[in-house]
Amino acid sequence: MTSVYGGSGDPARSIELLWGLREPPRRGPKPKLTVDGIAAAAIGIADAEGLAALSMRRVAAELGVTAMSLYSYVPGKAELIDVMVDRVVGENGVPDHEPGGWRSRLERVARQAWDRYLRHPWLLQVATSRPVLGPNIIARYDYELRAVAGIGLSNIEMDLVVSMIADYVHGAVRTAVELAQAEQQTGKTDIAWWEERAPLLAKVFDAERYPVAAEVGAAAGEEYQAAVDPARSFEFGLARLLDGVAVLVERAARGETA
Amino acid sequence: MTSVYGGSGDPARSIELLWGLREPPRRGPKPKLTVDGIAAAAIGIADAEGLAALSMRRVAAELGVTAMSLYSYVPGKAELIDVMVDRVVGENGVPDHEPGGWRSRLERVARQAWDRYLRHPWLLQVATSRPVLGPNIIARYDYELRAVAGIGLSNIEMDLVVSMIADYVHGAVRTAVELAQAEQQTGKTDIAWWEERAPLLAKVFDAERYPVAAEVGAAAGEEYQAAVDPARSFEFGLARLLDGVAVLVERAARGETA
DNA sequence: TTGAACTTCTTACAGCGTAGGCTATTATTC
DNA sequence: GAATAATAGCCTACGCTGTAAGAAGTTCAA
């Protein structure tokens, strides 16, 4: 299950943390930890065990302090997650200039997001409307928009295209992550799991009433040796999506309004 | 935030619950509750307060019993959620035959999913790989496939198209729900919220370094009077997606393989 | 009437985020 | 060098979670 976690406890404080503002006066005992170190430990836990396993006590234990010590560095868990997000968004740097046409650039944007979600599946569960605008998030937003800049789209259309890609990738990678997690947690591959349930399913499933589902389900099972093949699904969906954008771009090139 | 909740504690037991198998012998005190009643109460809570607020104690309180009483009817919380999902998937019935061409049928599939997610935002947080195949989930899967049946696509392509639509809708509606929840929780509209943060953002955001983001962000803010307009975003994305499917369908009609 | 089957309630456990208060440590000021 | 102020870190405590274990109460079949 997923519950919607959102960062953004106090956005102003989060922004200060993210941009390294508010250097504190130099009194009192020397800090044992740093915000970056705490975020790194938290990211490690979330990557390995999921966002549900991420607790202040758990992070503190990892760092050899008590839970309450973390509150000297970070106002709360929500702001810590804000920092985590900005860190992983900037993980491998944000490219400056990208060669190729809009299609290959957009494809790269989508694949980078896909890879990032696979590396950090907990990102799927972090609410990103009203994102806290850390340095990396801003840089990446600019980078993504540049993929569709200068090809005849209006500013609004550029924003819509980038949002659409983001929405689709989120949905697609979620399927992939859920499949992987299900296999890991049950120790059974998808095909083994479904075969195990086949006898019970046969009792309740009326193939005559639902012939299309029966045929397609069987075909998919044979083809993938699983109920789904998320990577292939992503490739297929991305290709269709970009085909659809191409129609828009051509229309714009001919001077038509959508 | 969202944590990934998934139903599916014991799938076999869930299937029995969903299909009303395992009528129990008639001894002992008369049951005060029914599985359907419990699921209805749980759906009400999840709709109104979110999946995070859904606890066994909360459901029990709603029904005037103690938490542990529920365990006579349902093996656990995970299986309860399985039942909830199947119920809302069948909520308004699953249509038998749909008029129109593949495009209007697919559009209808997407809009029904969109509406369902808006009515029951907690569905976004329930893992659906390895779904528990209740009667309504099966019926809807068949219905969705029928939207793209008989137009020249292979079984695999039909499955891929339906998955792609599902993935996109999930991603798009998630944005919409997050925005609505953010407005509800903060009591501030999107535009008011961003304007409030503008001074702090101006301090850290370098418009010269990120000219595209600056321009597009400003344009979007003016156009939507918000950072995003989810309904418009959905319409735009769906149109592009269906344009992309049209390319595929035309290619199939010409006998080409993808 | 008795016993089995079943429902319901009580108790308990370990874990969560974090408020409040305390002590120990350090840099600055006199 | 001593006093002071500010900070770091720890401890305790609250109400919440899902559900295991077991006791108590209710209803039917024999």
Side-chain angles (χ1 to χ4, degrees):
Chain A
M1 303 252 261
T2 311
S3 87
V4 179
Y5 288 83
S8 304
D10 176 354
R13 189 76 185 83
S14 287
I15 286 185
E16 288 172 349
L17 281 176
L18 286 166
W19 292 84
L21 310 179
R22 188 133 86 169
E23 283 297 318
R26 308 247 149 270
R27 263 219 264 209
K30 297 205 170 142
K32 275 203 273 193
L33 311 173
T34 62
V35 173
D36 268 1
I38 293 170
I43 289 169
I45 292 166
D47 285 352
E49 303 169 47
L51 205 52
L54 183 75
S55 72
M56 297 301 272
R57 291 177 226 267
R58 182 83 180 69
V59 175
E62 202 81 10
L63 295 166
V65 297
T66 64
M68 291 312 291
S69 299
L70 301 179
Y71 287 84
S72 311
Y73 301 91
V74 155
K77 194 187 184 183
E79 290 83 357
L80 172 56
I81 292 177
D82 285 337
V83 177
M84 292 166 64
V85 170
D86 194 73
R87 289 293 174 275
V88 302
V89 163
E91 201 164 46
N92 296 329
V94 180
D96 245 11
H97 300 293
E98 288 276 42
W102 67 265
R103 183 159 182 142
S104 74
R105 284 198 303 265
L106 257 193
E107 215 176 300
R108 210 142 35 212
V109 165
R111 287 184 206 288
Q112 284 175 20
W114 170 270
D115 290 341
R116 186 167 52 252
Y117 279 123
L118 286 188
R119 270 197 306 273
H120 309 291
W122 50 270
L123 275 176
L124 291 169
Q125 297 161 237
V126 179
T128 48
S129 82
R130 302 192 182 174
V132 175
L133 296 179
N136 294 313
I137 288 173
I138 289 182
R140 187 160 290 277
Y141 179 51
D142 190 80
Y143 162 74
E144 293 180 348
L145 285 172
R146 270 184 280 128
V148 288
I151 57 172
L153 301 183
S154 70
N155 283 331
I156 296 294
E157 284 172 326
M158 288 166 59
D159 185 63
L160 287 169
V161 167
V162 166
S163 299
M164 170 181 68
I165 299 280
D167 284 344
Y168 172 68
V169 174
H170 186 283
V173 83
R174 173 177 176 271
T175 309
V177 164
E178 280 179 11
L179 179 71
Q181 287 175 348
E183 295 202 336
Q184 200 198 337
Q185 281 163 23
T186 62
K188 288 183 208 300
T189 63
D190 216 40
I191 193 79
W193 192 86
W194 284 104
E195 273 171 3
E196 203 169 283
R197 260 126 213 97
L200 188 53
L201 190 57
K203 269 195 232 167
V204 295
F205 179 66
D206 182 352
E208 288 185 18
R209 177 146 180 218
Y210 302 118
V212 187
E215 189 175 328
V216 173
E222 273 187 33
E223 177 95 2
Y224 306 144
Q225 287 298 302
V228 289
D229 178 343
R232 175 167 174 187
S233 224
F234 173 62
E235 293 302 329
F236 177 88
L238 183 57
R240 301 292 82 71
L241 210 52
L242 293 175
D243 282 352
V245 175
V247 174
L248 178 78
V249 171
E250 281 156 28
R251 215 159 29 209
R254 286 198 307 273
E256 301 169 28
T257 42
Chain B
M1 302 255 260
T2 311
S3 85
V4 178
Y5 287 84
S8 305
D10 177 353
R13 188 80 183 81
S14 287
I15 288 185
E16 288 172 350
L17 281 175
L18 287 166
W19 292 85
L21 310 179
R22 188 133 87 169
E23 284 297 319
R26 310 242 148 274
R27 266 220 260 212
K30 295 201 174 147
K32 275 204 274 192
L33 311 173
T34 62
V35 173
D36 268 1
I38 294 170
I43 289 169
I45 293 166
D47 285 351
E49 302 169 48
L51 206 52
L54 182 76
S55 73
M56 297 302 271
R57 289 177 228 267
R58 183 83 180 68
V59 175
E62 203 82 10
L63 295 167
V65 296
T66 63
M68 290 311 290
S69 298
L70 302 179
Y71 287 84
S72 311
Y73 300 91
V74 154
K77 194 187 186 187
E79 290 84 357
L80 172 56
I81 292 176
D82 285 337
V83 177
M84 292 167 64
V85 171
D86 194 73
R87 289 294 174 274
V88 300
V89 163
E91 202 163 45
N92 295 330
V94 180
D96 245 12
H97 300 293
E98 288 275 41
W102 67 263
R103 184 158 181 144
S104 73
R105 285 198 302 263
L106 256 193
E107 214 176 301
R108 210 140 38 210
V109 164
R111 286 185 205 288
Q112 284 176 20
W114 170 270
D115 291 340
R116 185 168 52 250
Y117 279 123
L118 286 188
R119 271 197 307 273
H120 308 291
W122 51 270
L123 274 176
L124 290 169
Q125 298 162 236
V126 178
T128 49
S129 83
R130 303 191 181 175
V132 175
L133 297 178
N136 294 313
I137 288 174
I138 288 181
R140 187 160 291 278
Y141 178 52
D142 189 80
Y143 162 73
E144 293 180 347
L145 285 173
R146 269 184 282 126
V148 287
I151 58 172
L153 301 183
S154 69
N155 283 330
I156 297 295
E157 284 172 327
M158 289 168 57
D159 186 62
L160 287 168
V161 167
V162 166
S163 299
M164 169 182 69
I165 299 281
D167 284 343
Y168 172 68
V169 174
H170 186 282
V173 83
R174 172 176 176 272
T175 309
V177 164
E178 280 178 13
L179 179 72
Q181 287 175 349
E183 296 201 338
Q184 200 198 337
Q185 283 163 23
T186 61
K188 290 183 207 299
T189 63
D190 216 40
I191 193 79
W193 191 86
W194 283 104
E195 273 170 5
E196 202 170 285
R197 260 127 213 97
L200 188 52
L201 189 58
K203 267 194 235 166
V204 295
F205 178 65
D206 183 352
E208 289 185 18
R209 176 142 182 223
Y210 302 116
V212 187
E215 189 176 329
V216 172
E222 273 187 31
E223 176 95 3
Y224 306 144
Q225 287 298 303
V228 289
D229 179 344
R232 176 169 174 185
S233 224
F234 173 62
E235 293 302 329
F236 177 88
L238 183 57
R240 301 291 83 69
L241 209 52
L242 294 175
D243 283 351
V245 175
V247 173
L248 178 77
V249 171
E250 282 156 27
R251 214 160 28 210
R254 287 199 306 273
E256 300 170 28
T257 43

